Amino acid sequence: MCGIVGYIGPKGAVPILLEGLRKLEYRGYDSAGIAVIEEQKLLLRKSEGKLGVLEERLKEEKFLGDIGLGHTRWATHGKPSNENAHPHHDCKGKLAIVHNGIIENFQAIKKMLEDEGHSFFSETDTEVIAHLIEKFYQGNLVKAVQKATSKLEGSYAIAVISQDNPDQIVAFRQDSPLILGIGEQELYLASDIPALLPYTRKVIILDDGELAELNRKNYQIFDLQGNILEKEIEEIDWDLEMAEKKGFPHYMLKEIHEQPDVLRQLLTTPLKDDGIDLPELGSILDFQKKIDRIFIVACGTAYHSGLIGKALLEKTTKIPVEVDMASEFRYRSPLVGENSLVILVSQSGETADTLAALRYAREKKAKTLGIVNVQGSTIFREADYTLLIKAGLEIAVASTKAYMNMLAAFNLVALKMGEGEFNGEKLAELLHFLREIPAQAEKTLHKIERPSRQAAEYIKNWDNAFFVGRGLDYSLALEGALKLKEISYIHAEAYAAGELKHGTLALIEEGIPVVALVTQEDLLEKMVSNIQEIRARGGYVLGLTQDKFVSRLEGEVDFLLSIPNTSDFLAPLLGTIPLQMISYYAADLRDCPIDQPRNLAKSVTVE
Ligand code: F6R
């Protein structure tokens, strides 16, 4: 999605803006632009395509301005083009604006402004903001932005500079992240923390309805009524190294390999000898007896983790659990009430639909728990309770290590909430396996790399593939198929293996790759029968199982991958690793842009 950066200080703004935009590239974009003020003159350059195109242009121009804004755009209104790229400007070219999000009432505003004589230069919703500010500007940029934003509907973060106020950046946040970075005698602005990391760890996270004025000496933050707010400066503990590839050809491969470490990061503190210590759950545990239903709400990969979370929570707590895609949740009028627990799962903590679901749940007086990776994100701050999954900065658009730690987090929550339901022995056994899981993930990475690559060699030549499984393996199959689709562009479908014969079996043709997940002991024989049905129709079955079931599957599949033995409960954590690797290598063999797949963005802040 779009990215915003801003700088005001003693240095040349352009290299800082470009470096900031580089750090936001992973979010996905199709054009980029900057605006600086130099000798009281607004200068603006923007280009369709990757940042390199803009950089090449700027090399020749050598702008010296020490205040500026930068933006990477992910098209929503109007195709990717130089004209539609941000920053946008007013009629006179005196002020520039960058914007993330969507202005829902832009058409009505545009009509009004056109009737008043404003000329528009792009197809974007953003441009109306520039003209609205121009309309309201009477020498005070803060006041003009306040007035303009009061007319806007939608979710947005904006930043504005004007050559008439060359010592000021004005920024406003409504439902789209915006962060102020505090340096020595200089101030930064960004929509996402990585853009600030090269310069400062000290940040102020703006809340909805807050306006920030950054000037050469200081900053001020105002609420909607124009009152000055005292906001806490937070210290970010991510380090810049996380934003480097560390010798791996792609972030995705690096992040796959980080999984044992991030599992340790999450599990070490809560796993005690005699149980799980999870103070993050707060009073949910006291309230647990009253909970009549749990809802898990998320999007994409996070949603897939929720499907596994459901199975675990229902087993341990005996409370019915529903899993919803966040984009569907509030529109189906779910039966959420004060005895519901609604769990929102999100790597970024900013996904618009998941955030809307959280707000819906809060309106209905449900208790809410965020399972989130980004500290300080909106879901992190707005949920009643938050469990941080501690996967560190995830840069590749395709989520790997965050999914892994979402699964581990669900194990922690399920085991903690289920403590009363388990006998000591069963709990001790599960804790033992959970404690082992980081080392087992390490083993998996080593043993699975080669066979995953071989499996990818087979799959890469096909336009379609299937992933099948039963129980937890079906939920994992959904994630396997999504990963393959999004980075290798091979169409992949996941099916509950027993469901194939009700229609989809018609698509099984000679040689078609079918990844069959067989990690669950109680479903082993059922899966073998389903595999036989597929092979009888010519399907090429790539089986994935635990070491202990290898002998049963030999001869039943065309190609076999196996993960180290673990509890069936935890098998998805290890099973996801070969699925990630197969997708990675298939995408690599097909020369796909692995870290930034076409049309996708890392953090989806529009509905
Ligand atoms: C796929 C992927 C997406 C995200 C989804 C939700 O690899 O990463 O499907 O899982 O967009 O994002 P978050 O977790 O940030 O809410």
Side-chain angles (χ1 to χ4, degrees):
M1 291 268 129
C2 304
I4 289 178
V5 295
Y7 174 78
I8 177 166
K11 300 180 192 134
V14 171
I16 295 173
L17 297 174
L18 291 174
E19 174 71 7
L21 291 179
R22 265 271 166 256
K23 295 279 180 275
L24 297 186
E25 278 196 294
Y26 74 96
R27 293 167 58 93
Y29 69 104
D30 44 52
S31 52
I34 57 135
V36 292
I37 300 172
E38 196 169 299
E39 292 173 358
Q40 308 250 334
K41 181 111 193 68
L42 182 77
L43 303 167
L44 210 138
R45 295 292 178 270
K46 40 198 204 171
S47 304
E48 187 190 336
K50 292 295 173 193
L51 204 50
V53 182
L54 178 68
E55 271 173 327
E56 275 310 307
R57 254 184 100 181
L58 288 168
K59 261 188 205 152
E60 289 153 24
E61 305 199 72
K62 305 230 176 336
F63 290 161
L64 299 171
D66 55 8
I67 169 170
L69 301 173
H71 192 264
T72 43
R73 172 174 188 254
W74 187 82
T76 56
H77 296 72
K79 59 184 186 307
S81 66
N82 289 353
E83 295 72 34
N84 290 335
H86 299 209
H88 290 283
H89 56 84
D90 60 347
C91 294
K92 301 190 199 83
K94 284 184 166 190
L95 72 84
I97 176 159
V98 290
H99 162 223
N100 287 0
I102 286 181
I103 305 301
E104 284 164 3
N105 59 342
F106 86 99
Q107 259 154 343
I109 298 178
K110 189 169 178 177
K111 165 112 196 20
M112 174 195 80
L113 290 166
E114 276 173 339
D115 289 348
E116 289 177 12
H118 288 260
S119 313
F120 283 79
F121 309 94
S122 75
E123 303 160 280
T124 64
D125 53 342
T126 302
E127 199 186 335
V128 301
I129 315 174
H131 294 275
L132 259 189
I133 298 172
E134 178 180 32
K135 170 183 162 82
F136 293 124
Y137 183 75
Q138 289 181 335
N140 184 326
L141 192 58
V142 170
K143 285 222 165 90
V145 171
Q146 274 164 338
K147 271 203 184 146
T149 50
S150 72
K151 307 285 178 215
L152 302 177
E153 286 165 21
S155 59
Y156 52 95
I158 59 167
V160 189
I161 53 174
S162 162
Q163 68 180 38
D164 290 338
N165 302 69
D167 299 320
Q168 214 178 25
I169 299 178
V170 181
F172 182 82
R173 170 197 165 132
Q174 184 60 51
D175 286 333
S176 188
L178 206 51
I179 303 154
L180 193 62
I182 322 263
E184 297 288 330
Q185 312 289 321
E186 51 196 350
L187 292 166
Y188 305 86
L189 191 71
S191 52
D192 209 9
I193 288 168
L196 300 173
L197 288 179
Y199 308 109
T200 181
R201 299 272 155 77
K202 290 200 174 93
V203 302
I204 293 181
I205 299 170
L206 293 188
D207 281 301
D208 288 342
E210 289 180 356
L211 180 146
E213 180 206 350
L214 288 61
N215 57 48
R216 297 209 177 267
K217 295 212 176 71
N218 214 332
Y219 60 86
Q220 279 190 312
I221 296 169
F222 301 90
D223 67 9
L224 278 179
Q225 286 69 44
N227 304 311
I228 294 179
L229 301 172
E230 289 300 325
K231 295 212 27 140
E232 201 186 321
I233 298 180
E234 295 179 38
E235 195 83 32
I236 298 296
D237 62 2
W238 285 355
D239 72 50
L240 195 55
E241 252 214 345
M242 286 178 185
E244 309 295 333
K245 285 194 199 138
K246 290 196 208 148
F248 286 96
H250 297 97
Y251 283 110
M252 182 178 176
L253 193 59
K254 182 195 110 172
E255 287 161 6
I256 290 172
H257 281 270
E258 281 172 350
Q259 292 178 113
D261 284 344
V262 301
L263 279 167
R264 277 186 199 103
Q265 192 89 7
L266 174 65
L267 295 173
T268 307
T269 312
L271 282 179
K272 304 288 176 221
D273 287 345
D274 54 346
I276 285 172
D277 185 23
L278 212 57
E280 290 92 334
L281 293 188
S283 67
I284 290 177
L285 297 172
D286 308 327
F287 169 75
Q288 187 171 334
K289 286 214 163 52
K290 288 204 197 125
I291 299 176
D292 56 15
R293 201 173 296 221
I294 299 175
F295 294 84
I296 301 175
V297 189
C299 299
T301 288
Y303 167 77
H304 294 155
S305 81
L307 294 172
I308 291 182
K310 168 189 162 81
L312 303 179
L313 279 162
E314 284 188 339
K315 267 214 170 86
T316 62
T317 64
K318 312 286 184 247
I319 302 171
V321 182
E322 293 182 28
V323 192
D324 275 82
M325 292 171 195
S327 54
E328 294 289 316
F329 182 63
R330 61 200 192 285
Y331 302 111
R332 74 168 178 97
S333 308
L335 300 174
V336 179
E338 55 185 16
N339 290 332
S340 314
L341 169 66
V342 181
I343 303 180
L344 297 307
V345 194
S346 175
Q347 186 285 126
S348 61
E350 300 291 353
T351 302
D353 283 312
T354 314
L355 181 57
L358 164 66
R359 291 176 177 164
Y360 178 91
R362 285 178 58 99
E363 258 171 43
K364 301 281 174 197
K365 311 234 171 331
K367 286 251 182 315
T368 54
L369 168 68
I371 296 186
V372 171
N373 193 34
V374 178
Q375 188 186 351
S377 59
T378 312
I379 295 175
F380 173 90
R381 284 175 303 133
E382 291 192 16
D384 297 319
Y385 303 96
T386 313
L387 177 58
L388 269 182
I389 61 169
K390 300 188 183 163
L393 180 58
E394 191 178 65
I395 294 217
V397 163
S399 182
T400 53
K401 60 177 181 166
Y403 173 71
M404 173 67 87
N405 272 18
M406 286 169 189
L407 297 185
F410 269 120
N411 270 278
L412 289 175
V413 175
L415 290 180
K416 185 70 200 171
M417 289 182 72
E419 266 175 1
E421 293 285 336
F422 275 125
N423 65 35
E425 227 171 274
K426 180 83 188 145
L427 182 65
E429 186 194 316
L430 284 168
L431 287 175
H432 159 77
F433 281 118
L434 200 51
R435 228 170 263 122
E436 269 194 340
I437 210 77
Q440 298 288 76
E442 208 133 39
K443 268 196 211 154
T444 309
L445 279 169
H446 289 137
K447 75 179 290 209
I448 218 70
E449 183 126 23
R450 237 181 101 232
S452 301
R453 197 194 294 248
Q454 287 166 336
E457 290 274 0
Y458 185 83
I459 293 173
K460 73 156 206 284
N461 300 318
W462 288 82
D463 293 331
N464 295 290
F466 288 94
F467 288 72
V468 297
R470 304 178 75 125
L472 289 182
D473 282 338
Y474 169 49
S475 304
L476 183 59
L478 286 163
E479 174 58 11
L482 175 64
K483 216 87 305 173
L484 187 67
K485 275 185 273 212
E486 72 179 316
I487 61 166
S488 74
Y489 310 151
I490 296 171
H491 174 242
E493 287 303 325
Y495 267 89
E499 189 62 16
L500 278 181
K501 53 182 158 301
H502 299 288
T504 311
L505 212 48
L507 294 176
I508 300 297
E509 51 175 325
E510 197 59 39
I512 195 163
V514 181
V515 179
L517 312 186
V518 199
T519 71
Q520 304 291 304
E521 185 161 19
D522 55 345
L523 293 162
L524 192 65
E525 291 308 322
K526 301 272 174 229
M527 272 306 294
V528 170
S529 306
N530 295 144
I531 288 171
Q532 284 164 355
E533 290 158 9
I534 296 163
R535 292 185 83 206
R537 273 113 192 135
Y540 182 88
V541 174
L542 302 110
L544 171 63
T545 192
Q546 297 193 47
D547 285 344
K548 58 190 171 194
F549 308 133
V550 163
S551 57
R552 177 65 188 93
L553 282 181
E554 269 165 355
E556 299 286 359
V557 295
D558 298 286
F559 185 88
L560 190 56
L561 301 105
S562 76
I563 52 174
N565 293 333
T566 183
S567 141
D568 289 4
F569 240 48
L570 294 171
L573 281 81
L574 303 185
T576 191
I577 298 174
L579 299 185
Q580 296 164 349
M581 292 262 196
I582 290 173
S583 300
Y584 173 82
Y585 285 117
D588 198 33
L589 291 163
R590 288 164 66 99
D591 275 336
C592 295
I594 292 180
D595 287 332
Q596 289 172 46
R598 69 181 174 215
N599 306 340
L600 297 182
K602 183 65 184 163
S603 153
V604 184
T605 48
V606 294
E607 285 179 29

